[in-house]
Amino acid sequence: MKKAMKLLSGAVILVSPIAHAHGIHDGLSVSLLSGFFHPFLGLDHLLILLAMGVASQMSCFDKLKGGSFIIAALCMMGAGFVFGLWWEASSLMETLILSSVFVAGFAVWMLNSGSWLAKALVTASLFAVSIHGWAHGVEVGHASLATFAIGMLMGSAVIMGLGSQLVKLVSSQKLAAVIVSCGVLFGVIG
């Protein structure tokens, strides 16, 4: 089982395009199904959502662990999506998205310490998830909002669920190194 989970996680990252998935013009419509698969199509999505799944199992906040943490992350993403409907994109949006991957990676790295820095990074990571939602709220606009958003949240929940199980098989330090390394790759290539 442990080997199968490692292979599945590796395969998901390898089949994800290196380029970021921001832009509905990637050939997908704005339907429930395209919303569901959208988080799987960009390395930035996979990295932050896997990191949030890891953090859900190791959260340094006693009352915000497991499913509660994943629900909080999904709520932040949904709030960002709604925000994006009313506010235009920032010229810094892609920079913020790339930064969110590093913040989440370092949050995973620090989770075992239980320090104030770990709590600050986990909190910042929750807010960073809203930036991903914001980007999609801007791109999708009001057309098919509900179906795409619901699909995107469902796909995101699946990825966070995978991350929450992955941390049971691989140390958080190794996962953090992979997340940050892939973030560097994403920054250089994407």
Side-chain angles (χ1 to χ4, degrees), residues 31-79:
S31 67
L32 180 74
L33 195 56
S34 66
F36 179 82
F37 285 112
H38 191 78
F40 292 91
L41 296 177
L43 190 57
D44 60 331
H45 294 302
L46 284 173
L47 294 174
I48 193 159
L49 294 172
L50 285 171
M52 293 292 89
V54 170
S56 76
Q57 292 301 312
M58 303 179 62
S59 179
C60 47
F61 301 106
D62 293 332
K63 298 197 188 247
L64 193 60
K65 241 181 181 167
S68 299
F69 188 91
I70 290 175
I71 289 170
L74 291 171
C75 287
M76 292 300 291
M77 183 180 290

Side-chain angles (χ1 to χ4, degrees), residues 8 65 92 106 111 121 125 138:
L8 175 65
K65 241 181 181 167
L92 295 175
F106 289 121
L111 279 172
L121 287 169
S125 295
V138 168

